[in-house]
Amino acid sequence: MLYNTLATTSTGTIQVSQITLGTMTWGEQNTEAEAHAQIDMALAHGVNLIDAAEMYPVPPRPETQGLTEKYLGSWLKKSGKRDQVLIATKATGPARMAHNPRHVRGGVTHFDRKGLTDALNGSLERLQTDYVDLYQLHWPDRSVNCFGQLNYNHISDEFTVSIHETLSVLAEFIHAGKIRHIGVSNETPWGLAQFLRIAEKYDLPRIATIQNPYNLLNRTFEIGHSEFSYREQIGLLAYSPLAFGVLSGKYLNGARPAAGRLSLFERFTRYTNPQVHVIAGDYIALAQKHGLDPAQMALAYVNSRPFVTSNIIGATTMAQLQSNLESINITLNDTILSEIDTLHKRQPNPAP
C-alpha cells in the first residue's frame, strides 16, 4: 500500500492509505457480516481509512438509515482496533434536490449548531466511538450543481447557513475532541475559496479534504478544483472511481447483471446515458488491448493523479474488493496514459 498526507498537525502528519474503503452498500446490498469481512480484508492490504456517512446505505431509506455506521461500529467494538483505523463520516445536508433524503434527522439537516450537533452525536453513537478522524459536510448547505446537475441557477432568496457559522460549530467539536479534521464533499471551487477565506479571517479550522466524484467518465474535478488541491493542500478523496461499476465492463452492450447497482436501482441515471455507453466501451477495449483488467485500469488511473489523496473503492463481493485493492500494484505507462487522454478528448466528461 502507498500512503499520502491527509493532514498536518502540531504533532506530525497523518498518513492515509492511497485506497480508502467505501461503505455505502452496507445495510442494503451487504450484511453486517459481509461488512466486517470487507474491513478485515482491506486492513490486511494496508488500508487505514474507512469512509461512511450518517445517511448510508444508498439508496437512502428510512428503514436502513444509519446501518452503515452501525456495522462499522460493531466491528470497532468487536475488533478493538479503533487505534488502527481512521474513520471518516459525513453530515447530511439540506434536501434541495429531488433525490436528497428527507428522513434523516427528521428533515432538519442544515449545517447550523443544532443540525451538526445532532448529526455528529448520532454518528458517534452508531459508530461506538468518542471521536471521528475526518468529519465531512456531505454536500453544501446552499443549492449548487452536484450529483450530475448542470445549468447553474442562482436562488437569491434561499435560506442557507453561513460558512462562518458552520466552521465555528465544527471548531467547537475539534476543541471538544469529538473530531480531528474536517472536510467537504460535492463542493464547488467557489465554496472551497470561501471555506479557506473564512477560516483564515476568523482563525477557524481549515478544511483538509474534498470528497468529489472523479473517474474516467467524469474528470470535471481537473477543471476548477485541482488547482486548489495543489496550491492549498486540500487533497481529493475520489468517489465513484468506477462510475458505479460501468468502467468494470459488467454493463457493456446493455447488460444488466442481477446484483448490479444500476440494475437494482433506477435513481442512478448519471452513468447510463448513451454517451457513457459508447466511450466506456472504448476505455474497456483499451484496457483489454494492453492486457489489463478494465476496473483495475480505471482505478490505477485515479491512483496516479497527484491531486488525489485517496481513492474510495466500494464492493459488494469479496472478489470485487480483492481485485480493486490490487489496483494499487498497477502503474500505467505513458502509452496507456496518452491513449486515455485521446479518448477523453474525443468524449470529455460524459457523466459529470
Side-chain angles (χ1 to χ4, degrees):
M1 183 56 63
L2 302 175
Y3 298 87
N4 300 311
T5 298
L6 177 72
T8 301
T9 69
S10 58
T11 58
T13 59
I14 296 177
Q15 297 294 305
V16 61
S17 48
Q18 180 72 56
I19 290 177
T20 291
L21 180 62
T23 64
M24 72 176 184
T25 61
W26 300 357
E28 181 66 55
Q29 292 171 269
N30 287 110
T31 66
E32 185 173 22
E34 290 169 340
H36 290 184
Q38 287 190 15
I39 299 172
D40 290 336
M41 175 179 282
L43 263 63
H45 282 76
V47 170
N48 69 353
L49 178 60
I50 304 172
D51 179 71
E54 68 166 333
M55 80 168 208
Y56 286 173
V58 175
R61 297 188 293 122
E63 299 83 3
T64 58
Q65 188 259 317
L67 283 180
T68 297
E69 288 183 326
K70 287 182 179 179
Y71 291 179
L72 178 50
S74 62
W75 180 88
L76 290 171
K77 182 179 181 180
K78 179 181 71 172
S79 69
K81 295 180 179 180
R82 178 64 184 92
D83 60 343
Q84 297 182 30
V85 294
L86 301 172
I87 301 299
T89 195
K90 299 182 281 292
T92 302
R96 301 194 187 279
M97 303 174 73
H99 72 278
N100 291 151
R102 286 158 174 78
H103 56 271
V104 179
R105 286 182 272 124
V108 184
T109 51
H110 281 288
F111 294 146
D112 55 9
R113 182 175 303 280
K114 174 174 172 49
L116 288 173
T117 300
D118 290 349
L120 178 60
N121 288 341
S123 288
L124 292 175
E125 181 179 357
R126 288 186 291 271
L127 290 166
Q128 300 191 59
T129 185
D130 54 6
Y131 74 97
V132 293
D133 299 278
L134 178 65
Y135 198 55
Q136 305 157 96
L137 307 175
H138 208 149
W139 57 84
D141 197 283
R142 64 196 191 280
S143 293
V144 300
N145 285 16
C146 62
F147 303 120
Q149 180 174 325
L150 302 175
N151 302 320
Y152 174 69
N153 294 307
H154 182 68
I155 304 174
S156 59
D157 59 349
E158 177 179 66
F159 171 78
T160 62
V161 176
S162 72
I163 291 174
H164 183 199
E165 179 178 348
T166 298
L167 281 178
S168 297
V169 176
L170 294 173
E172 294 178 12
F173 294 163
I174 291 175
H175 294 153
K178 291 187 175 183
I179 61 177
R180 298 176 71 188
H181 301 284
I182 59 174
V184 293
S185 182
N186 298 296
E187 188 53 273
T188 68
W190 182 89
L192 284 179
Q194 294 305 301
F195 272 96
L196 293 171
R197 180 183 68 82
I198 292 168
E200 182 175 8
K201 181 177 181 179
Y202 296 102
D203 193 26
L204 291 168
R206 197 174 188 275
I207 56 173
T209 59
I210 176 171
Q211 184 175 151
N212 275 29
Y214 185 72
N215 56 62
L216 290 175
L217 303 177
N218 181 356
R219 291 169 55 179
T220 54
F221 189 89
E222 298 172 2
I223 299 169
H225 293 83
S226 57
E227 187 175 6
F228 276 101
S229 290
Y230 280 114
R231 295 186 183 276
E232 302 293 345
Q233 297 183 320
I234 302 172
L236 172 63
L237 304 181
Y239 78 75
S240 294
L242 290 179
F244 274 52
V246 170
L247 290 166
S248 72
K250 65 182 179 181
Y251 298 110
L252 199 60
N253 299 320
R256 282 293 183 268
R261 291 181 69 76
L262 298 184
S263 306
L264 292 170
F265 311 114
E266 295 181 356
R267 65 183 271 133
F268 303 117
T269 58
R270 190 176 193 172
Y271 299 110
T272 58
N273 65 62
Q275 305 95 292
V276 163
H277 290 308
V278 174
I279 196 66
D282 291 337
Y283 283 119
I284 292 161
L286 172 62
Q288 293 170 339
K289 183 180 79 170
H290 290 279
L292 296 171
D293 174 83
Q296 290 185 339
M297 184 190 80
L299 293 173
Y301 183 80
V302 175
N303 293 340
S304 72
R305 300 302 89 188
F307 48 80
V308 173
T309 292
S310 194
N311 185 1
I312 305 174
I313 63 169
T316 55
T317 71
M318 298 300 282
Q320 289 173 343
L321 181 59
Q322 178 75 36
S323 177
N324 291 348
L325 289 166
E326 290 174 355
S327 69
I328 197 67
N329 301 317
I330 295 175
T331 299
L332 303 180
N333 61 39
D334 290 343
T335 298
I336 298 174
L337 292 173
S338 177
E339 292 182 33
I340 286 174
D341 277 342
T342 296
L343 292 178
H344 176 64
K345 292 173 184 176
R346 181 189 305 167
Q347 178 60 73
N349 305 319

